[in-house]
Amino acid sequence: MIATALSSLILATLAAGAVLALQHARRWRAGQPAGVDIVAGLKALPGRYLVDVHHVVARKSFNARFHALTAGGFLASLPLLVLAAVPALRGWLLWGLLALALAVMLGGALMVGYRRRVEKPAELSQGRFKRLPYALLAYAAAFLVVALDQLAGGVLPWPLALAFVLAGAWGGAELILGVGRGPLKHALNGALHLVAHPRPARFHDRAGRDTGLRPADLEAPKLGSERPLDFAWNRLLGFDACVQCGRCEVACPAYAADLPLNPKKLIQDLVTAMDTAADGERRTDASYAGHNHPGRPIGLAQGGAALPLVGPGAMIHPDTLWACTTCRACVQECPMMIEHVDAVIDLRRFQTLELGATPAKAAAVLEELRVTDNPGGKPLARRTDWAVDLNLPLLAEKGQCDVLLWLGDGAFDLRVQRSLRALVGLMRRAGIDFAVLGEEELDSGDVARRLGDEATFQDLARRNIATLSRYRFGRIVTADPHALHVIRNEYPSFGGHWTVTHHTAFLLELVESGKLTLKGPTGGSVTYHDPCYLGRYNGEIEAPRRLLDAIGLQRVEMERSGLRSSCCGGGGGAPLTDVAGKRRIPDVRMDHARATGAERVAVACPTCTLMLEGVVGQRPAVAEISELVLEAVA
Amino acid sequence: MRTRRDPRAERQAKLVPGTARPRFLVGAAPAGFANAGAATGPTGRPRRDPRASRAAAVVRTAPRLRLDWTNKGQASLAIGTAQAAAAVKAAVRVIEEPAFLVLAVLDQPGGAPSDHDRQLIAGARLLADAGGGAVVAVTVEGVSGLGEAGADRLLALPADLAEGYEPERHAAAVLAAIETLKPRHVLFAESADGGADLARRVAAALGERLFAGVEALSPDRASRRARGGAAEMARAPARLMSVAADALPPHEGTVHEARTIPAPAFEAERRIGAVRPLAVDPDLIPLTETDFILSAGNGVTDWEGFAELARVLGATRGGSRVVCDEGHLPRERQVGASGSLVRAGCYVAYGIAGAPQHLQGITEVKRVVAINTDLHAEMIKRADLAIVADAQEVMPALIRHALERRAERQGKERRNA
Amino acid sequence: MLKVAVLLSIGRHPASGRPRRAPLDARALELALRLPGAEIHAVHAGDPAEPVLRDYLGMGLDRLTVLEIPAGSDPVPALVAHLKALSPDLILAGRCAEGGEDSGMLPYLVAQGLGAALLPDVADLSAGEGTATLTQALPRGRRRQAEARFPLVVSVHPAAPEPRQSAFARARRGLVEAVAASAPQDGFIGECEIRPWRPRPKRLRLAAGGSALERLKAATETKSGQGQVLVRPTADEAARAIYEYLVEQRVIGTS
Ligand SMILES: Cc1cc2nc3c(=O)[nH]c(=O)nc-3n(C[C@H](O)[C@H](O)[C@H](O)COP(=O)(O)OP(=O)(O)OC[C@H]3O[C@@H](n4cnc5c(N)ncnc54)[C@H](O)[C@@H]3O)c2cc1C
Ligand code: SF4
Ligand code: SF4
């Protein structure tokens, strides 16, 4: 009798869960169509879960362990409970296996309880999430007692046994019904998201990295996303997979500087908005029980699936949208493989292209870009003003060269010119056959694209590609990771395919091949700040470090480095939108650098140079890697 | 520094005064150009040498430099002007029967002729002297001293035109003068104080083309900028021209008769009324429009003193990003790449390091004064007057000094009255 | 309903020489868009195929009328004829174009042609019954208020509010309506000699009372500031030096 009650309750819960999940799925299925290879996705699913997701989760080994125990035990217990519905199978083997599975799960559940109730990391959400450890414990412990009791032949008096069954069933209902909207979203939505992920190439079974933005069709009736329903269905599914783990919140540089942006809340804003029926119903964010966007009260934001997402009184405040530096730290940390940056860019595209609502100086810079092809509105001929004495060879005059040096817009800035001079000096010493485009080089389009101005980006990209296609050269070398990313990862969609090398990798080659000889250790300590667009966007974190080691500097790492480095605040047009917070992002990053005690911060990006040099007060000196190498060459 | 030659000015310097047609003293090189060391000019008057007067102001150089500006430097200048005045009294040129007339329609912001007006008269003089013409200054009643500026005739319009803002009446008055006098040329001041507007009203009413904003003028050629400043457009001097500020040197050497001639009657429709100036607190003027900015950086800690100083000097307050971040000044007071790009005539920077993003905001500023404790600060390099000192000490001293000077001035005025 | 015409021209970026929306005309349009309940008619005289015209549409206009006239001809007669038929209450234009003759005459000629009042250098305005109340921007940040009767031509000052951003999608969707118009060839420009601008030293303002020679010298010097440095003076010395300098630069008055 107890066994029947047990299995029928579970079957009923599963059935109810299935109905709920189907109903729930309607919300994301209402999104725009997307070409998804479901079969390939399904095949790749186990691998993606066990490799890619595990890889992220395992950055916290405790979490990986309790996930394995809890999920393993739970998933094993479910079929056993279902089998218990067949009286013929009810034997010691079934009960024994069930007890084992539940015991394993109980271990995991206790760990979850420890984490949520004792450690209490601040980034975790409360509300529905608070009940999770109780539900896990109830399910595992109560059913364990029932299984053991059955194994022993039913020694408990039946009312007591039934009470255990009911307690366990409550836990089970919490968990299974929570698959739709609660803590266990990852079980279903997470898995489906892995199947239908908008960027399958980011998984280990494909290229392993996919960071370039997708081109927008400028002929489309609506450009960018205005409402939740304007996103493709698999993107909505992705948002709906968020388990509010808060890893993105911890990683976000804007959040750290108290700018009004919390990526976890951003995703939850989207989820809350899509939760409504598509007929213009409104819903506020009052049910959200985590940290909000800094400086903004909970309960004021409101929106719906068919309502505009961005606006002062809408779900997402414009300041939140424009505070993002597109640094991808959130994407890097998200165990659900959610693509926050894509969402931000889609929303920005609508704001810029449809509404003309790019804030602060950004709008004026976009206008200058359109008319002068550089963000400062300067004559393009002045890009090489700093090098009049260096006689930079022009590709137009040489016709061909081994290395095309892409100068970038940093070349208009006095500070950056210093590091470019160092780089040119090193290339001359190494006898490199190089040239520059001079007046023919236009802005790469990076800033325009991150600010949502896809039209200006595409125009610049097409014209740059046309220019580059006219010449013969071996590869492009640039000191600007933003230009590198755009040319390497985003120009291919427009027919531009070139090998682009970052100057740190290039200088390392020169040192390792002996073309540049070093004086021997120069001494002094240095900490290296990874540019987001080189590290996370392109996975290049080794070359600059090896270069610093080669010149004999004592290298110390900051609290965040490599792929998990923290942004300088300069990406995504953030210096132009200039959203105010309590602090500035570079000040936070400089704190990390100060904490290492290093004498200098080595940077490998013109934007990082400017952002970090803008920090006032006592701080390590900021040195571009080319400058450090130039100091060290014999 | 290499002195640059300016043929126009050299020619002007060699102009021999007192004849109807211009005559030039060609042989002698003007001392200002060829002979920079000379202490006197071609007329034998002592010249002021700023470097020498600064040298004269040095009280001591060690252990640190001290300058005394109340000293002899000023005295020698005073002698110079007295002599100049005496020299100028001598020659009054009278043009009885001019071959033609050139009108200079003065701007007179606030009722008194401005430098720009003098330049205008000089421009008219240039055109008149090329063919025996006479210059008519179109001014308002009660203005004197235009003979020195080069005016042969004065046509005085009703004084209230200079006081109120009645552009339609003003234009009608000038139109009446043009109709009566039939001048060969009419020059206006291309100024935002009303001259530019007046010129265009008159040109539109006459249905004639205005050659606007003349940057260089000779008897046979006038040129101006066009195409967003990218091109120079030149032609023979048009009948109606407006002259940019500081494009022409003021008239020197001769004194003209400045005989008053009657102003013709005029009539105008009035469609503009209820005119009133809006009170402006210098500190509330947008940074992009103000002419005088007192700016603070991270080196300023005495914020009350800073505000007081701005009030006393009548300056608009600005600041670096750091001080706006910290809330010492509102965000719209931020100068720099991510704040305002300012174009003030004078920018006084207290305790600002001069980061590139800050300097980007002041590229259009004409004069920079920097006060900074660090001799090597970029702002010190950018400054025209740099003071290596503590901002907190200089601010109260400057307030005191300004108040004292103001009191002195007021005392003097009271005695004069 | 308040009928507003905005006259729009094509600007030219000073650095690249490429066409763009003229900054002051864009401000004129911005002022018009801010007038509550105004019926806005945007007019350009020139080439309807010029893509940059769409930048004005991107500010939120549904349509833009282009009086089609050949390049280098005088736009005023065509504009006046068009505006006479339209008979707007208020006509807004930038006070000076960018990239052409830049004489700033156009608003005056239009006002003359229409027999309308004109108020220059407007930074802000509001419309009432038959009149408008306008704020004029004067040098050094001063402001003046005035009222003027309709029909009124207003020339817009750089101190007017920044024009809103032009949105690509709106620009793409807006309608450019070409209207045939006749225009006389502009003879005056033909009489002028045009060549690239060469910067020349600007005369310095010098306190009145200097000798002729000093003024001459001033006329030939581009920059007199020699970067004078006072290292660690006493506070009073520093104050005096700064004060003198400010007086010399005429930033603070002596009278
Ligand atoms: C993208 C970006 C945009 C930026 N935009 C702007 C911008 O628009 N505007 C802007 O201003 N900055 C901007 N910055 C910041 C800029 O880089 C500098 O950080 C900032 O200008 C420094 O301000 P400061 O000179 O007041 O402070 P500091 O750099 O701290 O300099 C203070 C100066 O005061 C001097 N000083 C100290 N004590 C005294 C004293 N008692 N008396 C006199 N002098 C003293 C010091 O010697 C020093 O030179 C930007 C930075 C970035 C990265
Ligand atoms: S991309 Fe960077 S700044 Fe933007 S939300 Fe993610 S972590 Fe925050
Ligand atoms: S978006 Fe990803 S990292 Fe952020 S809370 Fe949701 S699941 Fe966690």
Side-chain angles (χ1 to χ4, degrees):
Chain A
M1 197 259 312
I2 292 295
T4 314
L6 182 68
S7 51
S8 27
L9 274 174
I10 285 299
L11 279 173
T13 315
L14 280 175
V19 171
L20 264 182
L22 276 178
Q23 222 175 30
H24 221 65
R26 286 226 299 266
R27 300 173 320 143
W28 46 263
R29 283 179 40 226
Q32 303 300 308
V36 174
D37 187 346
I38 298 282
V39 178
L42 278 172
K43 268 196 223 147
L45 173 63
R48 289 177 183 172
Y49 228 123
L50 294 178
V51 178
D52 298 282
V53 174
H54 177 77
H55 182 77
V56 178
V57 178
R59 287 178 203 149
K60 291 184 176 153
S61 54
F62 184 80
N63 291 20
R65 249 174 274 138
F66 77 62
H67 269 104
L69 295 177
T70 321
F74 182 62
L75 287 178
S77 72
L78 277 182
L80 292 169
L81 284 167
V82 170
L83 288 179
V86 186
L89 294 177
R90 294 179 191 153
W92 65 269
L93 182 65
L94 181 85
W95 297 121
L97 284 175
L98 183 60
L100 186 67
L102 290 168
V104 167
M105 183 178 167
L106 183 61
L110 286 170
M111 289 169 78
V112 173
Y114 172 78
R115 182 167 140 82
R116 288 208 167 247
R117 312 299 304 176
V118 181
E119 274 189 355
K120 286 198 199 157
E123 72 270 20
L124 291 179
S125 288
Q126 302 301 316
R128 216 197 306 269
F129 288 81
K130 237 157 108 181
R131 301 205 300 265
L132 175 66
Y134 299 124
L136 288 172
L137 281 173
Y139 177 91
F143 282 172
L144 180 58
V145 171
V146 175
L148 290 173
D149 177 48
Q150 290 298 319
L151 203 54
V155 290
L156 290 174
W158 73 264
L160 188 62
L162 192 61
F164 274 109
V165 169
L166 289 176
W170 168 76
E174 266 297 300
L175 297 178
I176 293 167
L177 302 185
V179 162
R181 36 175 87 228
L184 291 200
K185 275 190 169 182
H186 50 328
L188 186 63
N189 290 354
L192 290 175
H193 182 222
L194 291 182
V195 170
H197 199 283
R199 291 180 176 272
R202 69 172 281 180
F203 296 104
H204 77 288
D205 53 282
R206 305 278 182 89
R209 176 168 286 106
D210 180 11
T211 55
L213 293 176
R214 300 275 183 270
D217 172 13
L218 293 175
E219 303 296 317
K222 186 192 250 180
L223 304 177
S225 298
E226 177 189 23
R227 319 161 299 158
L229 289 179
D230 297 333
F231 285 97
W233 67 267
N234 57 344
R235 313 266 308 273
L236 291 179
L237 170 61
F239 306 147
D240 209 14
C242 170
V243 289
Q244 305 193 34
C245 69
R247 289 179 186 229
C248 53
E249 168 183 318
V250 174
C252 177
Y255 185 81
D258 266 330
L259 266 60
L261 165 63
N262 176 351
K264 162 174 149 177
K265 177 64 178 0
L266 179 76
I267 298 299
Q268 282 310 306
D269 287 340
L270 291 161
V271 173
T272 310
M274 71 190 245
D275 242 348
T276 60
D279 60 1
E281 181 201 336
R282 270 170 204 284
R283 176 164 302 193
T284 74
D285 61 347
S287 64
Y288 173 74
H291 291 152
N292 200 4
H293 306 297
R296 303 201 62 78
I298 294 264
L300 291 190
Q302 52 172 315
L307 296 175
L309 276 164
V310 180
M315 208 67 212
I316 299 169
H317 193 278
D319 284 351
T320 298
L321 181 64
W322 297 103
C324 175
T325 70
T326 68
C327 73
R328 281 185 81 83
C330 46
V331 183
Q332 177 76 18
E333 294 302 310
C334 180
M336 291 292 101
M337 310 281 152
I338 296 169
E339 295 282 345
H340 311 63
V341 175
D342 286 347
V344 164
I345 297 299
D346 267 348
L347 292 170
R348 286 186 179 181
R349 280 179 181 167
F350 183 82
Q351 296 297 307
T352 295
L353 297 173
E354 290 280 352
L355 299 183
T358 327
K361 298 258 155 177
V365 167
L366 290 177
E367 192 165 357
E368 291 291 46
L369 262 176
R370 274 207 296 280
V371 196
T372 65
D373 302 323
N374 73 86
K378 308 222 170 75
L380 288 175
R382 287 181 47 196
R383 194 188 295 277
T384 47
D385 270 6
W386 50 277
V388 269
D389 56 326
L390 296 177
N391 287 322
L392 293 184
L394 283 179
L395 190 48
E397 283 162 15
K398 284 180 67 141
Q400 66 178 78
C401 62
D402 288 346
V403 168
L404 170 63
L405 181 62
W406 186 274
L407 294 171
D409 296 325
F412 290 108
D413 181 274
L414 276 172
R415 171 64 184 89
V416 177
Q417 287 163 7
R418 222 163 67 209
S419 41
L420 285 173
R421 287 186 74 90
L423 179 58
V424 168
L426 290 168
M427 289 176 58
R428 281 260 156 82
R429 262 168 201 259
I432 304 297
D433 169 34
F434 76 98
V436 298
L437 283 175
E439 251 180 273
E440 288 185 290
E441 181 184 322
L442 316 178
D443 172 271
S444 67
D446 165 68
V447 166
R449 195 169 219 199
R450 314 302 128 182
L451 288 171
D453 191 348
E454 182 74 1
T456 301
F457 166 75
Q458 291 193 8
D459 175 53
L460 289 167
R462 291 219 167 80
R463 287 191 292 133
N464 272 325
I465 289 169
T467 304
L468 290 168
S469 306
R470 285 209 311 275
Y471 296 114
R472 294 214 344 254
F473 51 86
R475 59 171 156 174
I476 298 173
V477 168
T478 181
D480 182 350
H482 296 265
L484 171 128
H485 166 70
V486 167
I487 300 173
R488 182 191 277 174
N489 301 320
E490 298 186 349
Y491 280 12
S493 313
F494 301 90
H497 300 270
W498 290 282
T499 310
V500 195
T501 310
H502 191 243
H503 74 309
T504 52
F506 184 66
L507 290 176
L508 183 67
E509 275 174 37
L510 297 185
V511 167
E512 288 184 339
S513 65
K515 289 208 173 104
L516 282 178
T517 43
L518 302 171
K519 272 192 289 211
T522 48
S525 58
V526 67
T527 184
Y528 173 65
H529 164 77
D530 290 272
C532 306
Y533 277 74
L534 188 62
R536 270 188 296 277
Y537 274 82
N538 285 285
E540 297 188 16
I541 55 175
E542 282 311 315
R545 289 184 166 75
R546 274 165 55 201
L547 198 53
L548 289 172
D549 293 347
I551 49 183
L553 291 166
Q554 185 205 335
R555 182 164 58 80
V556 274
E557 289 293 351
M558 283 185 259
E559 147 194 355
R560 298 200 183 161
S561 62
L563 295 178
R564 306 183 74 189
S565 168
S566 182
C567 178
C568 70
L576 302 172
T577 56
D578 204 20
V579 174
K582 280 213 193 91
R583 302 188 66 195
R584 288 194 176 270
I585 296 175
D587 293 352
V588 175
R589 187 54 174 164
M590 193 52 93
D591 282 351
H592 300 171
R594 260 191 219 106
T596 63
E599 292 156 19
R600 295 199 271 192
V601 201
V603 288
C605 166
T607 314
C608 300
T609 315
L610 297 178
M611 296 306 289
L612 294 178
E613 287 234 313
V615 175
V616 297
Q618 284 296 320
R619 57 162 169 81
V622 179
E624 217 279 343
I625 287 200
S626 335
E627 295 158 19
L628 294 172
V629 176
L630 188 67
E631 275 175 27
V633 288
Chain B
M1 200 194 92
R2 207 162 61 89
T3 5
R4 298 190 50 162
R5 284 179 64 113
D6 178 346
R8 191 158 34 88
E10 282 181 28
R11 197 172 115 100
Q12 195 72 15
K14 292 172 193 162
L15 186 72
V16 178
T19 47
R21 272 189 294 135
R23 274 183 43 205
F24 293 93
L25 191 75
V26 183
F33 301 95
N35 190 0
T40 52
T43 49
R45 277 181 273 134
R47 291 194 317 120
R48 185 174 172 225
D49 175 353
R51 246 152 301 176
S53 53
R54 180 166 178 274
V58 174
V59 178
R60 62 160 202 252
T61 51
R64 48 200 153 107
L65 184 67
R66 282 193 54 181
L67 295 170
D68 179 0
W69 290 103
T70 57
N71 223 305
K72 298 151 283 191
Q74 256 66 10
S76 64
L77 177 64
I79 297 166
T81 14
Q83 287 187 352
V88 146
K89 282 261 150 54
V92 171
R93 262 181 73 196
V94 176
I95 300 175
E96 208 52 66
E97 304 239 312
F100 57 89
L101 296 177
V102 180
L103 257 54
V105 182
L106 305 193
D107 201 16
Q108 294 172 313
S114 63
D115 283 358
H116 198 168
D117 288 333
R118 287 175 213 285
Q119 294 159 13
L120 210 59
I121 298 174
R125 189 75 267 147
L126 191 85
L127 296 174
D129 285 345
V135 174
V136 183
V138 180
T139 170
V140 288
E141 286 157 356
V143 168
S144 61
L146 292 178
E148 281 84 357
D152 301 304
R153 309 277 187 276
L154 291 189
L155 187 150
L157 303 176
D160 63 335
L161 277 180
E163 286 150 20
Y165 176 66
E166 293 174 276
E168 295 170 318
R169 257 186 85 217
H170 205 156
V174 174
L175 273 168
I178 292 174
E179 258 152 47
T180 325
L181 299 179
K182 310 223 164 4
R184 183 179 287 183
H185 300 284
V186 186
L187 267 51
F188 298 86
E190 180 71 14
S191 91
D193 286 307
D197 177 49
L198 189 60
R200 286 165 180 79
R201 284 183 195 274
V202 169
L206 289 173
E208 283 181 42
R209 202 68 170 233
L210 173 74
F211 199 67
V214 168
E215 296 271 355
L217 181 66
S218 68
D220 46 19
R221 189 182 158 91
S223 64
R224 61 181 293 270
R225 285 178 90 160
R227 303 210 172 138
E232 174 176 316
M233 208 170 139
R235 51 163 286 144
R239 186 159 107 109
L240 304 182
M241 294 187 281
S242 65
V243 178
D246 297 334
L248 306 175
H251 173 72
E252 290 296 338
T254 54
V255 174
H256 289 253
E257 188 188 8
R259 180 199 310 165
T260 303
I261 58 172
F266 62 92
E267 234 175 75
E269 192 189 346
R270 291 180 59 177
R271 291 168 294 193
I272 298 170
V275 174
R276 63 186 179 97
L278 298 178
V280 274
D281 176 349
D283 199 38
L284 294 180
I285 299 175
L287 279 178
T288 45
E289 289 179 60
T290 183
D291 199 45
F292 180 20
I293 298 176
L294 186 68
S295 199
N298 215 7
V300 170
T301 50
D302 174 10
W303 292 100
E304 271 165 34
F306 177 69
E308 167 83 13
L309 180 58
R311 211 160 33 239
V312 168
L313 295 179
T316 312
R317 279 181 303 165
S320 72
R321 194 180 71 175
V322 189
V323 307
C324 296
D325 278 357
E326 284 174 5
H328 296 303
L329 288 173
R331 179 63 60 196
E332 68 270 13
R333 297 277 134 197
Q334 179 182 323
V335 174
S338 46
S340 297
L341 310 182
V342 302
R343 32 178 62 244
C346 189
Y347 187 83
V348 181
Y350 272 97
I352 300 181
Q357 295 91 353
H358 189 86
L359 294 183
Q360 266 172 43
I362 59 168
T363 43
E364 304 260 324
V365 166
K366 289 198 202 76
R367 293 281 179 270
V368 174
V369 178
I371 297 94
N372 198 307
T373 43
D374 177 9
L375 175 62
H376 304 289
E378 288 299 322
M379 200 51 137
I380 293 278
K381 287 181 204 150
R382 165 71 171 83
D384 300 277
L385 172 64
I387 304 218
V388 180
D390 189 315
Q392 272 57 243
E393 288 167 20
V394 176
M395 285 194 297
L398 185 50
I399 294 173
R400 252 191 337 266
H401 191 75
L403 290 176
E404 273 167 26
R405 295 282 291 261
R406 185 188 291 171
E408 260 170 48
R409 242 179 12 237
Q410 282 165 351
K412 216 179 288 168
E413 272 159 29
R414 231 171 292 130
R415 255 173 283 134
N416 289 352
Chain C
M1 191 160 52
L2 181 69
K3 207 187 226 183
V4 182
V6 188
L7 310 185
L8 302 171
S9 65
I10 306 286
R12 202 157 292 278
H13 192 282
S16 69
R18 295 222 300 250
R20 63 164 173 179
R21 55 178 181 164
L24 291 177
D25 294 342
R27 279 177 162 77
L29 179 53
E30 177 64 39
L31 280 180
L33 290 168
R34 289 180 183 209
L35 284 172
E39 175 191 316
I40 298 175
H41 300 264
V43 189
H44 168 71
D47 176 8
E50 171 57 57
V52 163
L53 280 175
R54 297 208 158 263
D55 281 8
Y56 291 115
L57 291 169
M59 290 172 69
L61 287 175
D62 295 331
R63 61 180 60 225
L64 170 65
T65 307
V66 178
L67 311 176
E68 199 167 352
I69 59 168
S73 51
D74 180 1
V76 172
L79 284 172
V80 168
H82 180 80
L83 292 170
K84 266 191 182 143
L86 191 66
S87 82
D89 302 310
L90 200 55
I91 297 160
L92 301 175
R95 76 165 174 183
C96 190
E98 173 193 74
E101 188 191 344
D102 304 353
S103 70
M105 276 304 291
L106 186 121
Y108 292 84
L109 294 170
V110 167
Q112 184 74 27
L114 296 174
L118 179 141
L119 206 76
D121 297 336
V122 168
D124 199 9
L125 63 93
S126 62
E129 275 304 311
T131 61
T133 307
L134 309 106
T135 307
Q136 284 180 294
L138 306 179
R140 292 168 291 283
R142 287 175 299 128
R143 296 284 189 272
R144 177 168 59 208
Q145 201 177 63
E147 268 173 36
R149 284 211 304 272
F150 293 151
L152 172 66
V153 176
V154 158
S155 85
V156 175
H157 189 268
E162 288 266 331
R164 66 195 61 190
Q165 189 181 4
S166 173
F168 174 82
R170 285 195 305 228
R172 189 186 51 173
R173 282 194 284 265
L175 197 70
V176 173
E177 239 170 6
V179 175
S182 62
Q185 203 54 38
D186 189 343
F188 186 83
I189 303 272
E191 289 169 24
C192 296
E193 174 196 325
I194 294 178
R195 58 177 184 203
W197 174 260
R198 214 167 17 87
R200 51 168 65 95
K202 193 84 178 154
R203 276 176 41 79
L204 271 186
R205 274 193 280 155
L206 198 90
S211 69
L213 237 130
E214 277 183 71
R215 293 199 202 134
L216 264 180
K217 244 186 109 247
T220 59
E221 275 181 353
T222 29
K223 188 176 184 337
S224 71
Q226 301 295 309
Q228 189 188 18
V229 185
L230 258 65
V231 181
R232 270 175 266 291
T234 67
D236 285 325
E237 287 161 357
R240 209 171 314 137
I242 297 171
Y243 195 89
E244 289 303 330
Y245 190 79
L246 296 180
V247 169
E248 199 179 307
Q249 293 305 320
R250 298 214 192 165
V251 195
I252 48 186
T254 41
S255 56

